[in-house]
């Protein structure tokens, strides 16, 4: 009966020839005793063979006869004994199990440490994230306060500039109306000069009336030119005011947009819906500024507006002074011209009366002489 625990490479499991020791000529005894035989179910399987066992040394069949005097095959061949002694021992098996257990324990230990480190890292990152969010929230609050301050400053300055611009436009309208109203007195003075040119003879005298009329015409023209220049200066200043107004409105619009964005970010939480990038952030200008330049930009806009308002106030004061001075000057010249007219009219009337009286005397004398002559002739 064969030993079922042996491998298929054992010499008694088949008549496989060895390349080192060729088999002798077969006899009837060996042919009847050793036939080709494979274990049931393992005829075509070879992957189950232990890879750590020593290979059985192929021994020629003739060498077994000196240890078997009876001529019967042994149950376990001497070649199999070397293979049995080459297998693992119980100590090796226990050692392998202990190694596996220790390796598993070490893996579990390092896995536990990795798990603990992961939890600690998650907690640290969560705490760091919370601190960063609180810091960002604080900075956003400060930023919103700064934006509110500059928004109020820009709004106040814009209102003052608009009010000053309206006052300056009113002054410009007054100047334009004054220039238009001067056309009537100027035409009157020119008409007076034209009518006085119709005088005849010795009455074409360059008297005080004519001098005052010429001076009045010059004053009217000078006043018109002065007021027209003031109106041009006001028109130029209105353009500067509009530029400052546009800068303030643009800055205020940017501040409103920034305030809306920062307030939205300030109110965001980890549980907020639709947390994503702000819509339109990709269109933001890459040339960002720092808080110092950001505040300086708004401060420069406010300073420019204040300078424009100061110039507008000065122009309005110049307008008031110009209107008062031109009005006073024209009124004084009007009075002087009227006095000259009155004096000239009085002189002309006195001369006319004298001439009429003298004419009456002459006519009386001529009539008396004619009467005497007629009386003499009648005699």
């Amino acid at each position: 009966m064969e030993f079922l625990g042996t491998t298929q490479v054992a010499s008694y499991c088949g008549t496989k020839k060895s390349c080192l020791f060729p088999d002798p000529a077969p006899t009837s005894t060996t042919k009847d005793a050793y036939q080709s035989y494979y274990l049931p179910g393992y005829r075509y399987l070879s992957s189950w063979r232990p890879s750590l066992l020593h290979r059985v040394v192929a021994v020629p069949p003739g060498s077994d006869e000196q240890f078997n005097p009876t001529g019967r095959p042994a149950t376990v061949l001497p070649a199999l004994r070397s293979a049995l002694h080459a297998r693992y021992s119980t100590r090796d098996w226990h050692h392998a199990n202990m190694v596996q257990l220790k390796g598993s324990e070490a893996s579990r230990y390092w896995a536990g440490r990795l798990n603990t480190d992961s939890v600690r890292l998650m907690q640290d990152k969560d705490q760091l994230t919370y601190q960063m969010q609180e810091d960002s929230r604080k900075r956003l609050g400060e930023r919103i306060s700064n934006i509110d301050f500059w928004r109020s400053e820009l709004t106040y300055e814009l209102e003052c500039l608009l009010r000053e611009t309206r006052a300056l436009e009113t002054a410009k309208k007054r100047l334009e109306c004054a220039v238009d109203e001067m056309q009537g007195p100027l035409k009157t003075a020119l008409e007076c000069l034209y009518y006085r040119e119709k005088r005849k003879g010795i009455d074409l005298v360059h008297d005080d009336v004519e001098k005052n009329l010429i001076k009045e015409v010059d004053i009217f023209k000078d006043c018109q030119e002065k007021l027209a220049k003031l109106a041009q200066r006001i028109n130029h200043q209105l353009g500067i005011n509009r530029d400052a107004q546009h800068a303030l409105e643009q800055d205020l619009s940017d501040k409103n947009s920034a305030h809306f964005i920062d307030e939205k970010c300030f109110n965001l939480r980890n549980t907020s819906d639709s947390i994503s990038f702000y819509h339109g952030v990709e269109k933001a200008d890459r040339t960002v500024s720092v808080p110092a330049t950001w505040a300086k930009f708004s401060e420069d806009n406010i300073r420019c507006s204040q300078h424009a308002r100061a110039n507008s106030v000065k122009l309005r004061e110049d307008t008031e002074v110009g209107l008062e001075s031109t009005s006073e000057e024209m009124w004084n010249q009007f009075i002087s011209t009227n006095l000259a007219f009155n004096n000239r009219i009085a002189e002309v009337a006195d001369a006319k009366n004298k001439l009429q009286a003298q004419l009456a005397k002459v006519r009386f004398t001529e009539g008396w002489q004619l009467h005497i002559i007629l009386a003499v002739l009648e005699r």
Side-chain angles (χ1 to χ4, degrees):
M1 183 175 181
E2 290 88 7
F3 185 70
L4 298 179
T6 59
T7 62
Q8 294 182 5
V9 296
S11 60
Y12 62 86
C13 290
T15 58
K16 185 176 180 180
K17 294 182 180 181
S18 176
C19 60
L20 296 177
F21 303 99
D23 294 335
T27 60
S28 61
T29 306
T30 57
K31 183 177 181 181
D32 297 334
Y34 299 98
Q35 297 180 357
S36 299
Y37 177 78
Y38 293 94
L39 295 176
Y42 297 94
R43 180 174 300 178
Y44 301 104
L45 297 178
S46 61
S47 61
W48 66 277
R49 302 172 186 174
S51 60
L52 298 179
L53 296 178
H54 292 283
R55 291 185 178 181
V56 179
V57 180
V59 181
S63 63
D64 296 338
E65 294 178 357
Q66 51 184 317
F67 297 101
N68 191 5
T70 60
R72 298 170 60 183
T75 305
V76 178
L77 297 178
L80 184 60
R81 293 175 183 175
S82 61
L84 291 177
H85 287 292
R87 293 185 178 180
Y88 291 112
S89 64
T90 306
R91 182 179 178 181
D92 295 336
W93 181 78
H94 286 292
H95 179 71
N97 289 336
M98 291 299 297
V99 169
Q100 291 291 337
L101 290 175
K102 288 182 179 180
S104 175
E105 187 68 20
S107 298
R108 189 178 63 82
Y109 172 75
W110 288 110
R113 290 192 59 179
L114 182 60
N115 189 18
T116 304
D117 293 341
S118 299
V119 172
R120 184 173 63 252
L121 182 61
M122 290 172 60
Q123 292 176 354
D124 293 341
K125 292 300 180 181
D126 184 66
Q127 185 177 3
L128 180 62
T129 303
Y130 177 77
Q131 292 177 356
M132 292 178 64
Q133 286 180 348
E134 289 297 323
D135 186 52
S136 299
R137 181 179 176 83
K138 180 180 177 181
R139 292 179 182 273
L140 280 172
E142 294 176 356
R143 185 66 175 174
I144 290 173
S145 300
N146 293 334
I147 292 175
D148 286 335
F149 170 75
W150 285 111
R151 277 205 314 172
S152 61
E153 291 293 325
L154 290 171
T155 302
Y156 175 76
E157 183 61 30
L158 183 60
E159 291 177 356
C160 293
L161 182 62
L162 291 175
R163 185 165 55 249
E164 184 61 33
T165 302
R166 288 193 293 268
L168 194 62
E169 289 177 351
T170 303
K172 179 184 176 183
K173 291 180 181 179
R174 289 182 60 192
L175 286 175
E176 292 175 351
C177 291
V179 171
D180 293 337
E181 289 176 355
M182 286 182 187
Q183 288 297 117
L186 179 61
K187 289 181 179 180
T188 302
L190 291 174
E191 288 292 331
C192 291
L193 289 174
Y194 293 152
Y195 275 111
R196 285 178 62 83
E197 290 296 324
K198 295 179 181 181
R199 293 174 298 175
K200 297 179 180 180
I202 196 60
D203 287 333
L204 286 172
V205 63
H206 187 63
D207 53 2
D208 293 336
V209 175
E210 189 170 357
K211 293 178 181 179
N212 282 287
L213 284 173
I214 294 173
K215 185 177 180 181
E216 184 176 359
V217 170
D218 293 337
I219 287 174
F220 277 122
K221 290 183 177 180
D222 291 340
C223 291
Q224 279 185 336
E225 185 177 359
K226 185 187 296 183
L227 296 181
K229 287 182 178 180
L230 275 175
Q232 290 179 358
R233 289 174 57 189
I234 289 176
N235 192 21
H236 179 68
Q237 185 61 40
L238 286 174
I240 296 175
N241 289 0
R242 282 191 292 269
D243 293 339
Q245 176 184 350
H246 176 71
L248 290 175
E249 290 176 348
Q250 185 65 34
D251 195 4
L252 185 59
S253 177
D254 295 340
K255 293 294 185 296
N256 290 329
S257 179
H259 184 272
F260 175 76
I261 294 173
D262 289 342
E263 189 175 9
K264 183 178 180 64
C265 295
F266 183 78
N267 294 325
L268 283 177
R269 298 294 183 272
N270 294 331
T271 58
S272 300
D273 296 335
S274 301
I275 298 179
S276 60
F277 289 106
Y278 183 76
H279 180 68
V281 72
E282 68 278 0
K283 299 179 182 179
D285 190 6
R286 296 297 182 183
T287 57
V288 295
S289 62
V290 296
T293 57
W294 174 79
K296 187 177 182 300
F297 179 76
S298 298
E299 187 177 356
D300 291 342
N301 289 333
I302 293 175
R303 186 180 293 110
C304 181
S305 176
Q306 290 175 349
H307 183 68
R309 286 196 299 113
N311 291 337
S312 299
V313 172
K314 187 176 182 302
L315 276 177
R316 287 196 298 110
E317 292 176 354
D318 293 344
T319 300
E320 294 294 333
V321 172
L323 288 173
E324 291 179 359
S325 62
T326 53
S327 176
E328 184 178 0
E329 189 177 0
M330 288 187 297
W331 181 254
N332 292 333
Q333 185 60 37
F334 174 75
I335 292 175
S336 298
T337 304
N338 286 341
L339 289 177
F341 263 113
N342 291 330
N343 294 331
R344 185 61 178 170
I345 290 171
E347 290 178 358
V348 172
D350 184 48
K352 180 181 177 182
N353 292 332
K354 288 179 179 180
L355 289 174
Q356 287 180 350
Q358 190 63 30
L359 180 60
K361 290 179 181 180
V362 171
R363 286 180 178 179
F364 178 76
T365 302
E366 289 179 353
W368 179 254
Q369 290 178 356
L370 181 60
H371 179 70
I372 292 174
I373 291 171
L374 290 175
V376 171
L377 290 175
E378 290 179 354
R379 290 178 181 178

